Amino acid sequence: MRYNPAFKGVTGKDSRGFAIFKTQYHGLRAMRILLTNYLKKGFNTIDKIVNRYAPAADQNQPDKYAAFVSSKTGLSRTQILKPEDLEKIIPAMVQMETGKTVSEWDLSLSRNMETLGTWIPYFALSGLLFLLSKFK
């Protein structure tokens, strides 16, 4: 995703102009916002989203990318998407971009970052302390 200083948690950009985020949750949140905006602007199929997000002009292969996302989500490349379809599309796109899978927990945290706010580090620390207490 291209650098945009308006995204929460963005810390800079790499040499190609792509955003670097403080945490993966910030990156997932930004992706969710971006793709939601795509849907609102009429980029409402996998083919349209991928051609906008990963255009051939940036040395991507949109046809292969869209086929991958479609196969991972079970959604047709040309069907009109609903906002809830992003729950399948985001993990597939992340896997295409990074080769890594996104857990439901990570998606949930990114979806609820605004609500949780600064509580995320607290939950992580409290979970670690709980686990450590079990090994006394």
Side-chain angles (χ1 to χ4, degrees), residues 58-126:
D58 285 348
Q59 287 73 49
N60 293 297
Q61 297 177 320
D63 192 55
K64 287 183 180 179
Y65 197 132
F68 179 86
V69 172
S70 178
S71 72
K72 289 292 180 181
T73 62
L75 301 168
S76 162
R77 292 172 54 170
T78 57
Q79 80 181 65
I80 303 300
L81 301 171
K82 302 177 293 264
E84 55 268 23
D85 293 327
L86 295 180
E87 296 305 310
K88 295 178 181 177
I89 291 171
I90 291 171
M93 289 179 68
V94 169
Q95 188 174 3
M96 179 68 187
E97 294 283 333
T98 68
K100 298 177 183 176
T101 58
V102 177
S103 72
E104 178 53 39
W105 172 254
D106 292 335
L107 277 176
S108 178
L109 281 178
S110 70
R111 187 172 41 248
N112 296 302
M113 278 185 79
E114 293 301 312
T115 305
L116 295 173
T118 57
W119 289 95
I120 291 174
Y122 170 77
F123 288 135
L125 179 59
S126 63

Side-chain angles (χ1 to χ4, degrees), residues 18-39:
F18 294 106
I20 299 169
F21 291 94
K22 185 179 352 180
T23 69
Q24 73 178 25
Y25 307 111
H26 288 96
L28 289 169
R29 178 184 178 277
M31 184 178 229
R32 179 182 312 286
I33 291 168
L34 181 68
L35 296 183
T36 298
N37 286 333
Y38 281 7
L39 292 179

